[in-house]
Amino acid sequence: MKLNKFLTTLLITTAFAAPVVAADLKIGLAEDPDVLDPAQSRTFVGRIVYTAMCDKLVDVSPDLKIVPQLATSWAWGDGGKVLTMTLRKGVKFQDETPFNAEAVVATIQRNMTMPESRRKSELASVEKVEAVDSDTVKFTLKAPDSTLLAQLSDRAGMIVSPKAAKELGANFGSHPVCAGPFKFVERVQQDRIVLEKFADYWNKDQIFVNKLTYLPIVDSTVRLANLRSGDLDMIERVAPTDAASIKSDSKLDFEQAVGIGYMAMYVNIGNGPRANNPLGKDKRLRQAFSLAIDREALNQIVFEGTALAGNQPFPPVSPWYDKRIPVPARDVEKAKALIKDAGFDRVPIELQVSNSATVLQMMQVVQSMAAEAGFDVTLKTMEFATMLNEQSAGNYQISRSDWSGRVDPDGNLHQFVTCKGGINDTKYCNPAVDKLLNEARQSTDEAVRKQKYDAADEILNDDLPIIYLGHQSWLWALSKNITGFVPSPDGMIRLTGMKKAG
C-alpha cells in the first residue's frame, strides 16, 4: 500500500471507528494447521494463526530485523553466554492471568523438557532460564549462541499461560491460551479456526478486527473464488498462475514478498524400516535424482517466474548462499550414468506430496523429468498435516515439503540435518555436519559463521539427505476494503494495524 493511501484510509477509518472495530475478518489458508501448541507444532500455516494468537518475546520486522514484542529490550553478557531481557509491563494472558518473568521461565522450561516438544533443539544451547525479578528474565547458555534471539522470534519464544499449560499439559492445543491480540474460541478440524479480539491485549488500540476466522481451503482456485464472491476477505499463498488476473481485478489487491525459506524433497535415510529404499541407501541415486530436475523450468512452468531456482537452504540472493556450489543444470546423461554405477537400470520411488494443486503440479513435472533419467516415480497424495505426520513417523521414502524460512541461517538448517535435530525426519546423521553447525551457532562473527555453513553445505550437497528445489515468493490477495496489511518475507499475516472498511 502506498503511504498516502494508507494515511488517507487511516484518517477515514479513525473518523468512523465503531464500524471498523466491529469488523469480522475471514482469511483463507492453504492448509489446515497441525496441533495449536507452540511447543508441539511444526506447520507454516500454524505460524500464521499464532501470529494473531500468541505474541513472542521478540518479533521480526519486514526488513528482517529483530524487534521488541513481549520483551522491550535485551542485552548480551559474559562473552555471549548470558542473555538478559526486560519484559513489557501490564501484559495479560487471554485467561486474564498476568504475564511476567515466571511465566516466561515456565514456557521456556516446558519447551525444553516436555516429551512432546519440538522446540528442544532450538533451545539446546540454554543451560537455564531464571526470573531476576517480575520484569526481567535471564538466559544462561552452555556456550555462546548467536541464533537464540531468532529462535525467540518464533514458536520457541511464544509465551503461553502457565495456568493453561499446567491444566492441559500435552493437550494444550485443544484450547490454547497466549498473550496475543486474539483469543481462541473454537476449532473444527479441516473447516475453521475462530478467534476473537482480546479486550485486555497490551496493544489493543492497534487491533481493528473484532472476530477472526481462518478457513483452510486446499484448492487455490476455490480459495480465490471465495475471495471474489466475498466469502473471504483475504487469502494466502495465491497460485502464481492467478497473479495476473488478480492484479487486473479492480476489487482486489495483490501483494508479494520474496521468501526466506525453501521448497525441498526429504529422503528417508534412516527413519525406520522404510529407509530401506534405493535412494535412502545410496547417495549416488540421490545425486542422480537431483541432476534429473530442471529447477529453472519448474520456476517458469509452475510459478510463472515468481520463484527462484535453488539447491541450498538459502536462496541464491542470500548472503549465506554458497556461490561455490551454484544451482546445477539438468544433466540427464550424468544422472543415467550414476544410476548405472549404483547397479540399477530403473529405480522405483514412492514420493509423498500434499494435495495442494500447485505442489502437486510441481511434482508431476518432477515425475516426468525424473522418468527420462530412469526413475519410476509414484506420487502419493494426502492432506498436508497427515503428510507431515507420516514424514515424522518415517512412513515414507521421499517426501515433498516446504520450509517457510527463518531470519537466522541456523533456522533453515540445524534442526533438519543434525543428528538430534527436532525436525530431522530423514534421520540423516553426520558428526562432521553436527560439529560445523554447532560451531556456527557459537560465533557472533558472520565471516566465521559463513565459513562453517559453506563447509557443511559442501558435505550436504554430496550426501543430499534433502534435495532443494527452489524458493517461493509469498503471494497474497485481499479485498480492496482491507487496509494496513504489510507483506513480509517470513510469510506471516500480522493483524496489527489491519482494518476492514464497511
Side-chain angles (χ1 to χ4, degrees):
M1 300 294 173
K2 293 182 179 179
L3 183 60
N4 59 353
K5 181 181 177 183
F6 174 77
L7 291 175
T8 301
T9 305
L10 181 62
L11 290 171
I12 294 170
T13 51
T14 302
F16 301 94
V20 171
V21 173
D24 295 348
L25 197 65
K26 294 182 178 180
I27 299 177
L29 303 175
E31 301 111 12
D32 195 34
D34 59 349
V35 58
L36 291 178
D37 180 347
Q40 298 184 63
S41 64
R42 59 177 295 169
T43 58
F44 166 77
V45 70
R47 292 173 60 224
I48 294 176
V49 177
Y50 292 140
T51 301
M53 192 168 59
C54 299
D55 275 9
K56 303 157 290 191
L57 288 171
V58 291
D59 199 10
V60 178
S61 67
D63 59 353
L64 301 178
K65 305 292 189 214
I66 303 293
V67 294
Q69 197 164 65
L70 291 176
T72 56
S73 63
W74 51 89
W76 290 98
D78 192 17
K81 290 184 66 175
V82 172
L83 174 65
T84 304
M85 307 188 88
T86 301
L87 305 179
R88 191 175 299 278
K89 299 177 186 289
V91 176
K92 291 182 180 180
F93 290 106
Q94 293 144 359
D95 58 5
E96 299 295 338
T97 58
F99 164 82
N100 52 33
E102 290 293 346
V104 174
V105 170
T107 293
I108 299 300
Q109 289 179 340
R110 178 178 187 261
N111 288 342
M112 292 170 62
T113 61
M114 188 172 74
E116 297 85 359
S117 174
R118 292 185 179 273
R119 310 282 79 86
K120 293 174 185 176
S121 67
E122 297 166 16
L123 298 168
S125 63
V126 177
E127 182 175 296
K128 63 178 177 178
V129 56
E130 53 195 325
V132 176
D133 55 43
S134 62
D135 302 317
T136 312
V137 65
K138 182 171 79 171
F139 292 82
T140 302
L141 311 185
K142 301 167 187 173
D145 179 8
S146 57
T147 75
L148 183 59
L149 267 179
Q151 301 291 7
L152 296 177
S153 75
D154 197 10
R155 285 171 290 209
M158 294 175 186
I159 309 305
V160 304
S161 162
K163 178 176 180 287
K166 183 177 180 181
E167 289 175 354
L168 295 172
N171 198 36
F172 179 84
S174 65
H175 196 99
V177 181
C178 298
F182 293 87
K183 63 180 181 179
F184 180 83
V185 175
E186 68 167 340
R187 178 181 191 179
V188 179
Q189 294 278 0
Q190 307 297 327
D191 183 70
R192 65 186 181 274
I193 296 170
V194 182
L195 312 178
E196 66 181 17
K197 182 178 178 179
F198 176 41
D200 288 328
Y201 180 55
W202 63 270
N203 197 23
K204 62 180 180 290
D205 291 344
Q206 292 301 311
I207 302 300
F208 304 101
V209 172
N210 187 52
K211 181 181 177 183
L212 182 61
T213 304
Y214 294 102
L215 296 139
I217 302 173
V218 173
D219 190 310
S220 60
T221 302
V222 176
R223 251 192 342 274
L224 180 56
N226 275 265
L227 176 66
R228 284 189 159 129
S229 70
D231 290 334
L232 293 174
D233 300 298
M234 180 178 188
I235 58 175
E236 55 99 19
R237 280 178 285 176
V238 167
T241 49
D242 290 326
S245 76
I246 293 169
K247 290 176 183 178
S248 65
D249 190 327
S250 62
K251 295 181 180 179
L252 300 179
D253 279 330
F254 177 82
E255 299 283 1
Q256 73 178 90
V258 176
I260 53 177
Y262 58 76
M263 302 177 283
M265 296 180 294
Y266 298 77
V267 183
N268 190 342
I269 304 290
N271 193 349
R274 297 207 66 192
N276 186 24
N277 71 83
L279 265 70
K281 293 171 68 175
D282 196 326
K283 69 180 181 182
R284 291 171 296 185
L285 295 177
R286 299 193 289 275
Q287 293 166 358
F289 198 69
S290 179
L291 286 168
I293 300 167
D294 187 332
R295 290 163 169 82
E296 183 53 41
L298 284 179
N299 171 34
Q300 296 300 329
I301 294 169
V302 182
F303 297 101
E304 301 285 320
T306 63
L308 284 176
N311 66 321
Q312 297 176 32
F314 323 115
V317 295
S318 166
W320 300 102
Y321 185 81
D322 186 352
K323 294 180 180 178
R324 302 171 310 154
I325 309 174
V327 177
R330 188 184 190 217
D331 193 333
V332 174
E333 293 308 312
K334 188 174 179 180
K336 288 180 177 178
L338 284 165
I339 291 171
K340 184 177 180 180
D341 190 46
F344 286 85
D345 178 26
R346 298 197 66 82
V347 184
I349 297 174
E350 181 186 87
L351 196 161
Q352 72 172 24
V353 58
S354 74
N355 54 4
S356 156
T358 301
V359 175
L360 185 55
Q361 180 194 3
M362 183 184 194
M363 300 321 293
Q364 286 169 340
V365 176
V366 167
Q367 180 185 40
S368 177
M369 290 176 175
E372 293 179 24
F375 293 97
D376 296 320
V377 179
T378 302
L379 299 180
K380 183 179 181 180
T381 61
M382 60 188 73
E383 189 272 327
F384 182 70
T386 301
M387 187 197 76
L388 283 186
N389 288 335
E390 294 288 273
Q391 189 175 300
S392 181
N395 189 23
Y396 75 101
Q397 291 183 350
I398 310 179
S399 186
R400 164 71 178 85
S401 182
D402 294 343
W403 179 244
S404 52
R406 298 295 181 269
V407 64
D408 189 280
D410 180 90
N412 279 14
L413 196 52
H414 193 284
Q415 58 192 330
F416 294 96
V417 296
T418 52
C419 296
K420 296 183 179 179
I423 321 179
N424 183 359
D425 292 339
T426 73
K427 292 296 184 281
Y428 170 80
C429 183
N430 186 326
V433 170
D434 276 33
K435 182 175 185 293
L436 288 164
L437 295 184
N438 287 333
E439 289 172 350
R441 279 186 162 184
Q442 295 171 16
S443 177
T444 56
D445 186 325
E446 289 197 359
V448 171
R449 297 188 75 200
K450 180 69 165 66
Q451 185 181 38
K452 302 294 183 184
Y453 288 122
D454 285 355
D457 184 57
E458 193 169 2
I459 298 170
L460 293 167
N461 187 67
D462 184 58
D463 286 346
L464 288 180
I466 301 174
I467 300 172
Y468 301 99
L469 299 172
H471 311 271
Q472 286 192 67
S473 289
W474 301 117
L475 309 177
W476 299 271
L478 52 161
S479 169
K480 283 282 188 184
N481 67 346
I482 304 298
T483 59
F485 170 65
V486 179
S488 178
D490 65 2
M492 296 297 102
I493 299 172
R494 290 171 172 81
L495 279 295
T496 303
M498 283 183 63
K499 299 179 182 181
K500 179 180 179 180

